[in-house]
Amino acid sequence: MFEGMSSIEMHVSLGLILFSIGALGVFLKRSTLVALMCLELMLNGVNLVLVSFNRFYGNVHGYNLTLFVILIAAAEAAVGLSLVVAIFRSRGITDLDDLRELQR
Amino acid sequence: MNEPTIIQWILALVSIAAALGVVFSSNAVMSALLLMTTLFVTGAMYIGLGAYFVGAAQILIYAGAIAVLFVFMVMILDLKNEQRIFRDNAPRAALGGLLVLVFAGSILISVNVAFRGFLRDHIKLGPVAAEAVAGPREISEGLISQFMVSFQVSNLLLLGAVMGCVVLARGHKKKELPRV
Amino acid sequence: MIWIVLLPVLGALINGVFLRPQNIKVAGSIGTAAVLGAFLLSVLAIAEHGNSTLVERAFTWIQAGGLTVPFALEYTPLTAIMLLVICGIGTLIHLYAIGYMEHEKSPWRFFAYLNLFVAAMLVLVLSSNLVGVFMGWEGVGLCSYLLIGYWFEDRNNATAGMKAFLTNRVGDLGFFIALFYVGASVGSFEISDIVAAVSNSAISPYVWTAVALGLFWASTGKSAQFPLYVWLPDAMAGPTPVSALIHAATMVTSGIFVSVRLWPVFATQPMVLEVMMWTGLITAWLAGAIALYQRDIKKVLAYSTVSQLGFMFFAVGAGAPHIGFFHVITHACFKALLFLGAGSVIHGMHHEQDAGEMGGLKQKMPITFWTFVLATAAIIGFPLTAGFFSKDLILYYGFQKGMLPFVLILGAALLTSFYMWRMTALVFWGKPRSQHAKEAHESPWIMTLPLVVLAVLSVVSGYIQMPHIFHVDLLKGWVESSWYGVKMPEEAHLSVVGEVLLILSTTSLSLGMAFFSWKRFRDANRVVDPENSFAKVLLGKFYVDEIYQRLIVGPLQWTAGLVTRLLDSSLINGFLHGLRDVAFLGSGLSMALQSGRVQTYIGFVLFGVVFLLGLAVWVFV
């Protein structure tokens, strides 16, 4: 399987793997903070895929898109973390299992 | 360059290991630091792929700001050690693992198939594109011309994010964080 | 003609649904007017139709397959006489009830029920087909339940009502069987068609046996013969006007009426007739014996009714349906009079019913006294009263049937003499035995007027059919012309001498017994319950009720309990609990979906992605 594997293929697969690991983490971890970290992992994986595919093209659109993703990830991380801080302040816990306001 | 070099393999493995460490570590600080590692290594991979600007941006912003922010958070919130996943809730872990495996596996296989199949002819890359192709100039040109709208909107987004963070972080009278 | 039925229905509706007057005079007037109107219409109908038969169709009621049942009313002379009896005596009783029920809280309910009863009875009598008769049959059953249990706050009354209805129901099974056979064999339920089909040789005679037996069994229930008579004494729990109307004059005579109306069917079944005759005899004796020791006025009259009904069935079974019907008419008059008189006594005694507490009322309530005495004379067959003629003819036909039936029926008649005079003497003669008796007063005119009218009728109504020596055969002629051409066979006659001898001997025996009873009881100071065991059995009504309870009712209730536990508790309840558990399960699962935790939702997204992926793969590969 690994013979004749081009670099592109390997990087794409790697991005996918990183994405999957991140997805697993988001689903399974109890701490909000760590879940957010895994979220970043997922975005990172997507970025990798974008970057590696851009080799096929004569333009840099993929890189631009990647930059946007990084930017948005940064904004999202910031807001998310302040949310965590706010929750922690009012409740004292950040366990995802205990944050069940939406439950019926 | 069609074959991944050995360095790329190593970098790949390291990033995978670090990612697994993020997920399976019981210590939040360790998770944060390993996240930083992953992001850093990914940035290295970008550079290895010839995306110099993006790689730099990744290391600067992602690994250097976001991951650091995470580390700060972990320190501030002083979380207790997280329990091991599998011991805690095995059915959920099994379900998640299964789903992820299925997902990843299927895509991997199809990627494999695609690359060996119809994409083979398309994979003839020239040498790493000259820096001129992937340098800051080209990217900025793209930003200003083609992605102008997105650029401006993302500015707004950042503004909104900043305001949101300020509002959220203001909180109530008491300034000191309660001990968990 | 349909207005004869509709008027009481209207009265019931106005009283019961629309107006609901609280004033008894208003409610009573509406009720009485309705029945009086029906009476007048009946008279008009007789004037118009006389001796013929006539069917008047209202609408088609059931139409299923090849079976058509219309709602149609039929006029026959037989029906006409019944109409007069029902509406006439009904009017008098309604009038009487206005006085008797003066303290009633909701008079509209009472009069509505009474009117409803009259309407149902009219439907029973007037219907041209057997299904309509059955409707009326059920209707009077229902109304008797409503009226017996009228004062339902007292549990005993409600139970008595239920007993009446249930016992009737057992009898109705017979009616159903008869209906089924008729429907299957004759194809139509019209009585004229049924009578015509009797001579149809294509129909097996066993069909007619079944029909006759079925109808007789139903009559056993409705007309209180052995073994289904047990409800009637208990039915005395209802107000006295109710007892008078339902249990003396009308409802209980429905059985006889049906037998006479469908006589052509019965005429072909000598076995059923034998059964009928002997059942009548047994009932007459049984009830008469029980009546000997009763203390309650109304109970005595109740058993007397059962006994007299036995006489009627005896007559029909002996091959003389017109005589049975004759006794229906005369009995209606004097029994209603007896009941209303008893009601008057009860009313004057402030609702005391035990004869042991009465006495010496003849000075205090003269009108009631004289009418009551007249009625008693009629029931024992005092010469020249109506009862004399009807009872005498019954004895005559009994004699023709054979020595044994004759002696037995004569014995029953003597019992009647004895217990009736015992009751009369205890109530009216002697010295007052209680405070209530001392203070008793006569009833108001609204109650005594019907008494007087009925007294007159008790004498006059006998003259329509008299022993053969006088050759007055009016009733027989009328009844016969109701049978669509079927005629009664010629009968053997006794000689004139024989007949006179018969009359004289039976009458003197009866009078002698009456005198003996009167002598014994007129100065009684106390009424004691008997000591010796034979009398105790009589007082205990031969313990028939208790036997029924043990043999039938008890096991039924036990079985019902068993079924309830088995089927209802385990099966049905279990099924329902199972449903509940399933519902809870489902809702539990659904609740898990809404856990409120982000990660659950992420999980769903993941799952969705995988699912879609799989779908794509499956589609494209």
Side-chain angles (χ1 to χ4, degrees):
Chain A
M1 184 171 82
F2 291 113
E3 308 81 33
M5 185 191 275
S6 64
S7 143
I8 302 296
E9 191 179 336
M10 190 268 274
H11 285 291
V12 168
S13 310
L14 179 65
L16 171 68
I17 290 174
L18 287 178
F19 179 85
S20 312
I21 294 176
L24 194 69
V26 167
F27 183 56
L28 290 178
K29 292 301 262 186
R30 271 215 324 219
S31 161
T32 319
L33 210 47
V34 179
L36 280 174
M37 289 182 210
C38 299
L39 197 58
E40 298 303 325
L41 261 189
M42 288 163 76
L43 286 167
N44 184 50
V46 169
N47 277 347
L48 188 50
V49 171
L50 272 174
V51 165
S52 50
F53 265 124
N54 204 24
R55 299 297 301 281
F56 288 147
Y57 295 87
N59 54 31
V60 293
H61 290 162
Y63 296 150
N64 269 321
L65 210 47
T66 312
L67 278 176
F68 278 122
V69 173
I70 292 176
L71 189 147
I72 293 170
E76 165 251 321
V79 174
L81 288 173
S82 11
L83 270 176
V84 171
V85 168
I87 290 175
F88 187 72
R89 264 209 218 120
S90 71
R91 254 169 255 262
I93 44 164
T94 51
D95 235 17
L96 274 176
D97 283 346
D98 298 326
L99 298 173
R100 319 177 159 208
E101 296 297 294
L102 285 173
Q103 182 175 40
R104 281 254 102 252
Chain B
M1 55 172 75
N2 270 344
E3 279 274 332
T5 63
I6 194 79
I7 297 231
Q8 285 177 332
W9 278 114
I10 293 175
L11 285 176
L13 284 171
V14 171
S15 70
I16 289 181
L20 284 172
V22 170
V23 172
F24 288 110
S25 158
S26 54
N27 189 345
V29 180
M30 188 62 93
S31 290
L33 290 175
L34 285 172
L35 178 72
M36 187 184 287
T37 311
T38 311
L39 297 171
F40 193 89
V41 167
T42 313
M45 279 195 277
Y46 290 167
I47 296 177
L49 280 172
Y52 304 116
F53 185 75
V54 179
Q58 165 96 353
I59 293 175
L60 267 175
I61 301 172
Y62 234 138
I66 296 175
V68 171
L69 198 55
F70 272 106
V71 174
F72 282 172
M73 279 297 120
V74 167
M75 296 302 186
I76 287 176
L77 294 186
D78 197 18
L79 296 168
K80 285 210 175 67
N81 277 342
E82 175 130 344
Q83 295 201 308
R84 295 226 161 256
I85 304 175
F86 292 118
R87 210 185 292 156
D88 214 10
N89 190 352
R92 183 159 140 219
L95 183 66
L98 185 71
L99 286 176
V100 164
L101 265 169
V102 171
F103 170 68
S106 55
I107 297 197
L108 272 176
I109 291 174
S110 46
V111 162
N112 209 331
V113 165
F115 271 106
R116 302 301 163 87
F118 60 89
L119 283 181
R120 199 176 317 146
D121 310 319
H122 295 269
I123 309 175
K124 35 179 200 294
L125 300 164
V128 175
E131 283 121 36
V133 179
R137 167 184 264 247
E138 283 75 19
I139 291 182
S140 324
E141 277 170 5
L143 273 184
I144 292 174
S145 61
Q146 189 141 27
F147 296 108
M148 180 55 137
V149 179
S150 315
F151 184 48
Q152 301 302 336
V153 171
S154 60
N155 276 337
L156 275 176
L157 178 80
L158 282 174
L159 186 63
V162 167
M163 282 200 293
C165 290
V166 168
V167 167
L168 279 170
R170 218 168 12 134
H172 299 286
K173 294 332 184 310
K174 55 181 163 72
K175 282 302 169 189
E176 59 177 278
L177 297 166
R179 285 279 150 200
V180 174
Chain C
M1 190 163 46
I2 192 160
W3 279 103
I4 301 182
V5 174
L6 279 184
L7 271 181
V9 172
L10 206 60
L13 280 177
I14 295 180
N15 256 334
V17 174
F18 295 125
L19 217 53
R20 298 206 179 170
Q22 283 295 117
N23 183 345
I24 190 170
K25 290 204 178 47
V26 175
S29 311
I30 298 177
T32 315
V35 185
L36 183 62
F39 178 72
L40 291 172
L41 284 176
S42 315
V43 172
L44 273 176
I46 295 182
E48 188 181 328
H49 299 296
N51 222 5
S52 55
T53 64
L54 172 80
V55 178
E56 182 178 301
R57 225 184 167 121
F59 54 89
T60 310
W61 177 21
I62 302 175
Q63 193 143 24
L67 192 63
T68 313
V69 177
F71 183 80
L73 303 176
E74 182 170 11
Y75 172 96
T76 62
L78 179 72
T79 317
I81 302 175
M82 274 306 271
L83 283 180
L84 287 180
V85 169
I86 299 170
C87 297
I89 300 189
T91 313
L92 292 171
I93 294 182
H94 273 75
L95 196 61
Y96 177 91
I98 301 180
Y100 186 80
M101 304 287 287
E102 60 184 348
H103 297 301
E104 174 59 33
K105 295 189 302 287
S106 13
W108 52 270
R109 187 163 74 100
F110 184 74
F111 282 99
Y113 285 166
L114 270 187
N115 272 6
L116 197 63
F117 172 84
V118 174
M121 189 68 199
L122 289 173
V123 167
L124 193 158
V125 162
L126 279 173
S127 270
S128 75
N129 57 60
L130 213 54
V131 180
V133 172
F134 188 59
M135 287 300 299
W137 192 271
E138 292 294 302
V140 293
L142 170 70
C143 291
S144 81
Y145 161 75
L146 288 173
L147 284 165
I148 293 173
Y150 183 71
W151 292 317
F152 57 81
E153 289 87 0
D154 182 349
R155 205 168 181 163
N156 289 332
N157 298 341
T159 314
M162 276 201 294
K163 185 171 177 179
F165 192 77
L166 288 174
T167 323
N168 254 226
R169 218 56 185 120
V170 174
D172 290 347
L173 178 66
F175 211 111
F176 269 122
I177 294 178
L179 275 178
F180 292 152
Y181 268 105
V182 164
S185 327
V186 180
S188 141
F189 289 105
E190 300 295 310
I191 298 189
S192 43
D193 291 341
I194 298 176
V195 169
V198 172
S199 47
N200 184 354
S201 49
I203 302 178
S204 147
Y206 293 113
V207 167
W208 299 116
T209 314
V211 170
L213 269 178
L215 286 177
F216 176 61
W217 179 249
S219 308
T220 317
K222 187 78 71 194
S223 297
Q225 295 298 295
F226 181 83
L228 294 178
Y229 69 93
V230 288
W231 61 272
L232 203 143
D234 282 34
M236 294 300 117
T240 313
V242 167
S243 308
L245 183 62
I246 297 184
H247 308 123
T250 44
M251 183 176 107
V252 293
T253 58
S254 341
I256 316 278
F257 172 75
V258 165
S259 309
V260 175
R261 184 109 150 84
L262 276 104
W263 172 253
V265 174
F266 285 91
T268 64
Q269 303 296 323
M271 185 207 44
V272 178
L273 288 179
E274 282 286 311
V275 170
M276 201 184 271
M277 188 175 81
W278 285 102
T279 310
L281 259 179
I282 297 174
T283 310
W285 261 93
L286 187 64
I290 299 178
L292 286 176
Y293 275 105
Q294 292 297 316
R295 297 182 65 136
D296 185 332
I297 296 186
K298 286 178 72 171
K299 284 271 174 24
V300 164
L301 293 179
Y303 282 107
S304 163
T305 305
V306 175
S307 178
Q308 293 298 306
L309 287 170
F311 275 81
M312 295 178 214
F313 275 106
F314 173 82
V316 176
H322 56 296
I323 300 302
F325 189 63
F326 187 31
H327 204 58
V328 166
I329 304 170
T330 60
H331 175 262
C333 297
F334 53 69
K335 192 45 76 57
L337 177 53
L338 281 172
F339 267 111
L340 293 186
S344 176
V345 168
I346 296 173
H347 185 83
M349 291 273 296
H350 292 285
H351 290 278
E352 171 62 61
Q353 290 183 217
D354 185 350
E357 303 288 316
M358 302 179 190
L361 290 178
K362 73 173 158 102
Q363 287 91 2
K364 307 230 170 16
M365 309 175 71
I367 303 182
T368 309
F369 167 65
W370 281 111
T371 54
F372 200 89
V373 164
L374 192 61
T376 313
I379 199 174
I380 67 162
F382 195 88
L384 297 185
T385 61
F388 169 67
F389 293 112
S390 65
K391 182 164 289 204
D392 210 74
L393 281 167
I394 294 180
L395 289 171
Y396 172 83
Y397 279 97
F399 183 76
Q400 289 223 298
K401 257 300 189 176
M403 213 48 192
L404 181 62
F406 172 70
V407 169
L408 287 177
I409 200 73
L410 182 59
L414 293 178
L415 275 180
T416 312
S417 275
F418 188 80
Y419 65 70
M420 280 313 299
W421 274 105
R422 168 180 176 266
M423 185 48 58
T424 314
L426 281 177
V427 170
F428 289 104
W429 265 271
K431 291 191 286 292
R433 284 187 283 276
S434 75
Q435 193 59 23
H436 277 165
K438 292 208 188 90
E439 295 171 354
H441 57 82
E442 181 62 86
S443 302
W445 71 268
I446 205 168
M447 284 167 66
T448 53
L449 178 64
L451 291 180
V452 171
V453 174
L454 280 173
V456 171
L457 278 177
S458 298
V459 175
V460 163
S461 56
Y463 287 88
I464 54 175
Q465 175 84 9
M466 301 208 292
H468 301 273
I469 47 175
F470 301 112
H471 294 292
V472 177
D473 258 348
L474 287 174
L475 182 62
K476 177 167 174 198
W478 288 337
V479 170
E480 222 175 19
S481 58
S482 311
W483 286 332
Y484 315 105
V486 174
K487 297 261 182 257
M488 273 177 58
E490 272 303 308
E491 21 179 275
H493 289 280
L494 276 187
S495 62
V496 175
V497 174
E499 203 163 337
V500 169
L501 257 166
L502 191 63
I503 299 175
L504 281 179
S505 52
T506 55
T507 313
S508 44
L509 272 175
S510 179
L511 288 179
M513 184 63 102
F515 187 71
F516 167 65
S517 165
W518 178 66
K519 234 27 245 284
R520 200 179 135 119
F521 288 109
R522 65 175 169 165
D523 279 321
N525 278 331
R526 292 174 305 146
V527 175
V528 292
D529 282 335
E531 296 297 309
N532 66 70
S533 48
F534 174 69
K536 274 218 176 85
V537 170
L538 286 184
L539 194 59
K541 306 169 286 165
F542 287 99
Y543 302 114
V544 173
D545 277 320
E546 286 75 11
I547 296 175
Y548 279 177
Q549 179 69 25
R550 288 208 106 198
L551 279 184
I552 301 175
V553 178
L556 269 179
Q557 284 177 326
W558 178 83
T559 318
L562 195 69
V563 170
T564 309
R565 275 195 308 278
L566 265 184
L567 272 186
D568 198 31
S569 305
S570 313
L571 217 75
I572 300 180
N573 264 4
F575 174 65
L576 290 174
H577 287 324
L579 274 183
R580 175 203 67 189
D581 289 336
V582 166
F584 273 170
L585 206 72
S587 80
L589 284 173
S590 315
M591 276 205 305
L593 284 179
Q594 284 248 305
S595 69
R597 290 162 50 220
V598 183
Q599 289 174 319
T600 313
Y601 302 145
I602 293 177
F604 286 135
V605 172
L606 255 184
F607 179 78
V609 169
V610 171
F611 180 73
L612 283 174
L613 229 115
L615 210 62
V617 166
W618 181 70
V619 167
F620 290 117
V621 168

